[in-house]
Amino acid sequence: MLTESTVETMFRQLMKTNDRTEETFDKAEELLEDELRPESPLRHRLTVELDELRALATKA
């Protein structure tokens, strides 16, 4: 299991690109599910952020 800091850094790098695909969102979601405990506040926060970014991408 990675540290929360490492997971957040990896998440930010995935989301940094302007041309995010569904594959990018899936990788980020998998990272959160695989590396963070279900009760982790960071997991909750990044999941909400991921949902918002995914919704914005579908509107564009």
Side-chain angles (χ1 to χ4, degrees), residues 2 4 6 9-10 12-15 17 22-24 26 28 31 33-36 38 42-45 51 53 57-58:
L2 302 172
E4 287 193 342
T6 303
T9 299
M10 292 171 71
R12 297 281 172 229
Q13 287 184 344
L14 279 170
M15 294 297 109
T17 181
E22 190 59 36
E23 184 179 327
T24 306
D26 290 344
L31 173 68
E33 289 175 359
D34 290 348
E35 299 298 336
L36 295 174
L42 179 63
R43 179 176 175 171
H44 175 70
R45 184 169 54 86
D51 292 343
L53 290 170
T58 30

Side-chain angles (χ1 to χ4, degrees), residues 18-34:
N18 287 333
D19 43 314
R20 297 177 200 111
T21 63
E22 190 59 36
E23 184 179 327
T24 306
F25 292 121
D26 290 344
K27 283 182 184 180
E29 189 171 30
E30 189 174 307
L31 173 68
L32 300 180
E33 289 175 359
D34 290 348

